[in-house]
Amino acid sequence: MEKLIIQGPSVLTGSVSVGGFKNAAVAVLPATIIQAGVYNLENIPDITDIDCIQAIFNKKGMEWSNVSSNTIRIDTRSLDTYDFTDDEMSSIRASIYFAGALLSRFGHAIVALPGGCNFGERPIDLHIKGFEALGATVRQEYGKLFVDAPNGLKGASIYLDTVSVGATVNIMLAAVKAEGSTTIENAAKEPHIVDLANFLNNMGAKIRGAGTDVIKITGVKELKGHTAYTIVQDMIEAGTFMIAAAATKGNVFVRNVIPKHMESLTAKLEEMGVGVEAGDDFVHIFPKDWPLDKAVIKTMPYPGFPTDLHPQMATLLTQAQGDSTIKETVWLTRFQYANELNRMGARIDVNCPVASIHGGQPLTGAPVSANDLRAGAALVIAGLCATGTTAVSGVHYIDRGYENLVDKFRQLGADIERVED
Ligand code: EPZ
């Protein structure tokens, strides 16, 4: 097992460039299966969740070539099965997207139930509701989902009881070739939903309204079996670096960013007294007021404050003065990071779904462990703020969603290295 060893404190300075969005790439890749063809995809992040999807493609006999470090060429013409139950399917959440894509291509899908970061129950009832609304039958047994639409899929109006990124993605994948029109009400509005819609429309789909809470899809008989596409930038990676810069009183340009995607975080950082300047494709973080002021955070679906920046924000709030709170409304138990930060001297009281963070506690280095991707990022940021040595284990979680995190932090002046435990 590997660990990240961080010597703190450090002040981050310089500039860092953000890569392609994990949560967009893991939706676009299964979409290439809908239509047999050849696809060139750029800005694909080099992370283990993508490696997992590559293994799935290869096991199904589809060609996947790495044209460059972040550009791939995929050939889905040879796919001749809708049985996707290999082990890799149970190690990531996004494998559930193969259900919608296979349903569009073959009218059938057998997929292993998904895995993903472990912060409580992650149901798929809304995905199933969507498939059934489109005329498919769905059976769940032996850890697999059996989805069948022998007479084809028919457009429908589907209301999502809870705003769900995954269900919105899966219904889009299943509806693009359904007969007639589909409306998704109360749809997720995240940038990765827009990115998937853009990709599918590049393939000849007819999707309108992505990015709003009503998405309209007019089914088409065939999609174009080829397209080139560049994945949108990763707003969560960008936010992670913005928060790390603020927490270390640093001066950092976070580049290759769409500032509009960062607005909920930018607003909170400015409220706390952090210097923030947004350019066309960068956000500049610099010291303005210190100590920073406390904040009240409530995570919400986009454009609200993203749940995937909750743990990182908690670390920042330990460095502010006064008592802050974070109310989690998406994953009500994603508080594992709190115990680990408390081992470093933080004072965080968790009364699900609210964390109360008593700021102004100096952090000291300690051995800590991550058990989800974003908690891992929060512990790295804590190590940068702490005095002494922090050893972060559970690095494989961090590698799921952050490309070259160690190198990127080192180029900002952090004393961090990856070692074999
Ligand atoms: C996606 O997960 C992301 N993962 C998560 O990012 C992110 O935290 C989440 O969206 C919210 O933004 C990927 O995109 C691969 P949801 P997903 O369906 O699709 C409930 C990261 O760190 N729900 O939007 O699984 C659910 O319980 C990861 O990059 C149902 O009730 O999330 C939750 O409370 C972690 N029934 C809420 O909806 C369903 O069928 C939002 O979940 C589906 C979801």
Side-chain angles (χ1 to χ4, degrees), residues 242-279:
M242 288 167 63
I243 291 170
T248 60
K249 207 177 171 187
N251 190 322
V252 173
F253 282 84
V254 182
R255 300 194 182 283
N256 197 28
V257 167
I258 299 174
K260 177 149 185 57
H261 292 171
M262 311 313 304
E263 282 178 348
S264 61
L265 173 61
T266 301
K268 279 299 169 186
L269 292 177
E270 286 176 329
E271 238 180 71
M272 294 173 66
V274 176
V276 185
E277 176 216 354

Coordinates of all heavy atoms in Angstrom, one line a residue, residues 242-279:
M242 N -8.3 25.5 -5.2 CA -8.7 26.9 -4.7 C -8.7 26.9 -3.2 O -8.2 27.7 -2.5 CB -10.1 27.3 -5.3 CG -10.0 27.7 -6.8 SD -11.7 27.8 -7.5 CE -12.4 29.1 -6.6
I243 N -9.3 25.8 -2.6 CA -9.4 25.7 -1.2 C -8.1 25.5 -0.5 O -7.7 26.1 0.5 CB -10.4 24.5 -0.8 CG1 -11.8 24.9 -1.2 CG2 -10.3 24.2 0.7 CD1 -12.8 23.8 -1.1
A244 N -7.2 24.7 -1.2 CA -5.9 24.4 -0.6 C -5.1 25.7 -0.6 O -4.4 26.0 0.4 CB -5.2 23.4 -1.5
A245 N -5.2 26.5 -1.7 CA -4.5 27.8 -1.7 C -5.0 28.7 -0.6 O -4.2 29.3 0.2 CB -4.7 28.5 -3.0
A246 N -6.3 28.8 -0.4 CA -6.8 29.6 0.7 C -6.4 29.2 2.1 O -6.0 29.9 2.9 CB -8.4 29.7 0.6
A247 N -6.4 27.8 2.3 CA -6.1 27.3 3.6 C -4.7 27.5 4.0 O -4.3 27.6 5.2 CB -6.4 25.8 3.6
T248 N -3.8 27.6 3.0 CA -2.3 27.8 3.3 C -1.9 29.3 3.2 O -0.7 29.6 3.2 CB -1.4 27.0 2.3 OG1 -1.7 27.4 1.0 CG2 -1.7 25.5 2.5
K249 N -2.9 30.2 3.0 CA -2.7 31.6 2.9 C -1.8 31.8 1.7 O -0.9 32.6 1.7 CB -2.0 32.2 4.1 CG -2.2 33.6 4.4 CD -1.6 34.1 5.7 CE -1.6 35.6 5.8 NZ -0.8 36.0 7.0
G250 N -2.1 31.0 0.6 CA -1.2 31.0 -0.5 C -1.6 32.0 -1.6 O -2.6 32.7 -1.5
N251 N -0.8 32.0 -2.7 CA -1.1 32.9 -3.8 C -1.0 32.0 -5.1 O 0.1 31.7 -5.5 CB -0.1 34.0 -3.9 CG -0.5 35.1 -4.9 OD1 -1.0 34.8 -5.9 ND2 -0.3 36.4 -4.5
V252 N -2.2 31.6 -5.6 CA -2.2 30.5 -6.6 C -3.1 30.9 -7.8 O -4.2 31.4 -7.5 CB -2.6 29.2 -6.0 CG1 -2.8 28.1 -7.1 CG2 -1.6 28.7 -5.0
F253 N -2.6 30.7 -9.0 CA -3.5 30.8 -10.2 C -4.0 29.4 -10.5 O -3.1 28.5 -10.8 CB -2.8 31.4 -11.4 CG -2.6 32.9 -11.3 CD1 -1.5 33.4 -10.6 CD2 -3.5 33.7 -11.9 CE1 -1.4 34.8 -10.5 CE2 -3.4 35.1 -11.8 CZ -2.3 35.7 -11.1
V254 N -5.3 29.1 -10.4 CA -5.8 27.8 -10.8 C -6.3 28.0 -12.3 O -7.3 28.7 -12.5 CB -7.0 27.4 -9.9 CG1 -7.5 26.0 -10.3 CG2 -6.5 27.4 -8.4
R255 N -5.6 27.3 -13.2 CA -5.9 27.6 -14.6 C -6.7 26.5 -15.3 O -6.9 25.4 -14.7 CB -4.5 27.7 -15.4 CG -3.7 28.9 -14.8 CD -2.5 29.3 -15.7 NE -1.7 30.4 -15.2 CZ -2.1 31.6 -15.2 NH1 -3.2 32.0 -15.7 NH2 -1.3 32.6 -14.7
N256 N -7.2 26.8 -16.5 CA -8.0 25.8 -17.3 C -9.3 25.6 -16.5 O -9.7 24.4 -16.3 CB -7.3 24.5 -17.5 CG -7.9 23.7 -18.6 OD1 -8.6 24.3 -19.5 ND2 -7.8 22.4 -18.5
V257 N -9.9 26.7 -16.1 CA -11.1 26.6 -15.2 C -12.2 27.4 -15.9 O -12.0 28.3 -16.7 CB -10.8 27.3 -13.9 CG1 -12.1 27.6 -13.1 CG2 -9.9 26.5 -13.0
I258 N -13.5 27.0 -15.7 CA -14.7 27.8 -16.2 C -15.2 28.5 -14.9 O -15.8 27.8 -14.1 CB -15.7 26.9 -16.8 CG1 -15.2 26.2 -18.1 CG2 -17.0 27.7 -17.2 CD1 -16.1 25.2 -18.7
P259 N -14.8 29.8 -14.7 CA -15.2 30.4 -13.4 C -16.6 30.3 -13.1 O -17.0 30.2 -11.9 CB -14.7 31.9 -13.7 CG -13.6 31.8 -14.7 CD -14.0 30.6 -15.6
K260 N -17.5 30.3 -14.0 CA -19.0 30.2 -13.7 C -19.3 28.9 -12.9 O -20.1 28.9 -12.0 CB -19.8 30.2 -15.0 CG -21.3 30.1 -14.8 CD -22.1 30.8 -15.8 CE -23.6 30.7 -15.4 NZ -23.9 31.2 -14.1
H261 N -18.5 27.8 -13.2 CA -18.8 26.6 -12.5 C -18.4 26.7 -11.0 O -18.8 25.9 -10.2 CB -18.0 25.4 -13.2 CG -18.5 25.1 -14.5 ND1 -17.8 24.2 -15.3 CD2 -19.5 25.5 -15.2 CE1 -18.4 24.1 -16.5 NE2 -19.5 24.9 -16.4
M262 N -17.5 27.7 -10.7 CA -17.0 27.8 -9.4 C -17.7 28.8 -8.5 O -17.3 29.0 -7.4 CB -15.5 28.2 -9.5 CG -14.6 27.4 -10.4 SD -14.8 25.6 -10.3 CE -14.5 25.3 -8.6
E263 N -18.8 29.4 -9.0 CA -19.4 30.6 -8.3 C -19.8 30.3 -6.9 O -19.6 31.1 -6.0 CB -20.6 31.1 -9.2 CG -20.1 31.9 -10.4 CD -21.2 32.4 -11.3 OE1 -22.4 31.9 -11.1 OE2 -21.0 33.2 -12.1
S264 N -20.4 29.1 -6.6 CA -20.8 28.9 -5.2 C -19.6 28.9 -4.3 O -19.7 29.4 -3.2 CB -21.6 27.6 -5.1 OG -20.8 26.5 -5.5
L265 N -18.5 28.3 -4.7 CA -17.3 28.3 -3.9 C -16.7 29.7 -3.8 O -16.3 30.1 -2.7 CB -16.3 27.3 -4.4 CG -14.9 27.3 -3.8 CD1 -15.0 26.9 -2.3 CD2 -13.9 26.3 -4.5
T266 N -16.6 30.3 -4.9 CA -16.0 31.7 -4.9 C -16.7 32.6 -4.0 O -16.1 33.3 -3.2 CB -16.1 32.2 -6.4 OG1 -15.3 31.4 -7.2 CG2 -15.5 33.6 -6.5
A267 N -18.0 32.5 -4.0 CA -18.8 33.4 -3.1 C -18.5 33.1 -1.6 O -18.3 34.0 -0.8 CB -20.3 33.2 -3.3
K268 N -18.4 31.8 -1.3 CA -18.1 31.5 0.1 C -16.7 31.9 0.5 O -16.4 32.4 1.6 CB -18.2 30.0 0.3 CG -19.7 29.5 0.5 CD -20.3 30.1 1.7 CE -21.8 29.9 1.8 NZ -22.4 30.7 2.9
L269 N -15.7 31.7 -0.4 CA -14.3 32.1 -0.1 C -14.2 33.6 0.1 O -13.6 34.1 1.1 CB -13.4 31.7 -1.2 CG -13.2 30.2 -1.4 CD1 -12.3 29.9 -2.6 CD2 -12.6 29.5 -0.2
E270 N -14.9 34.4 -0.7 CA -14.9 35.9 -0.6 C -15.5 36.3 0.7 O -15.0 37.1 1.5 CB -15.6 36.5 -1.8 CG -14.8 36.4 -3.1 CD -15.5 37.0 -4.3 OE1 -16.7 36.9 -4.3 OE2 -14.8 37.5 -5.2
E271 N -16.6 35.6 1.1 CA -17.3 35.8 2.4 C -16.3 35.7 3.5 O -16.4 36.4 4.5 CB -18.4 34.8 2.5 CG -19.9 35.3 2.7 CD -20.8 34.1 2.8 OE1 -20.7 33.4 3.9 OE2 -21.5 33.8 1.9
M272 N -15.4 34.7 3.4 CA -14.5 34.4 4.5 C -13.3 35.3 4.6 O -12.5 35.2 5.5 CB -14.0 32.9 4.3 CG -15.1 31.9 4.5 SD -14.5 30.2 4.1 CE -13.3 30.0 5.4
G273 N -13.2 36.1 3.5 CA -12.0 37.1 3.5 C -10.9 36.6 2.6 O -9.8 37.2 2.6
V274 N -11.1 35.6 1.8 CA -10.1 35.1 0.9 C -10.1 36.0 -0.4 O -11.2 36.4 -0.8 CB -10.4 33.7 0.4 CG1 -9.4 33.2 -0.7 CG2 -10.4 32.7 1.6
G275 N -8.9 36.4 -0.9 CA -8.8 37.2 -2.1 C -9.1 36.3 -3.3 O -8.5 35.2 -3.5
V276 N -10.1 36.6 -4.1 CA -10.4 35.8 -5.3 C -10.6 36.7 -6.5 O -11.3 37.7 -6.5 CB -11.8 35.1 -5.1 CG1 -12.0 34.1 -6.3 CG2 -11.8 34.3 -3.8
E277 N -9.9 36.4 -7.6 CA -10.0 37.2 -8.8 C -10.3 36.2 -10.0 O -9.5 35.2 -10.1 CB -8.7 38.0 -9.1 CG -8.7 38.7 -10.5 CD -7.3 38.7 -11.1 OE1 -6.4 38.2 -10.4 OE2 -7.2 39.1 -12.2
A278 N -11.4 36.3 -10.7 CA -11.7 35.4 -11.7 C -11.4 36.0 -13.1 O -11.8 37.1 -13.4 CB -13.2 35.0 -11.7
G279 N -10.6 35.2 -13.9 CA -10.3 35.7 -15.3 C -11.2 34.9 -16.3 O -12.1 34.2 -15.9

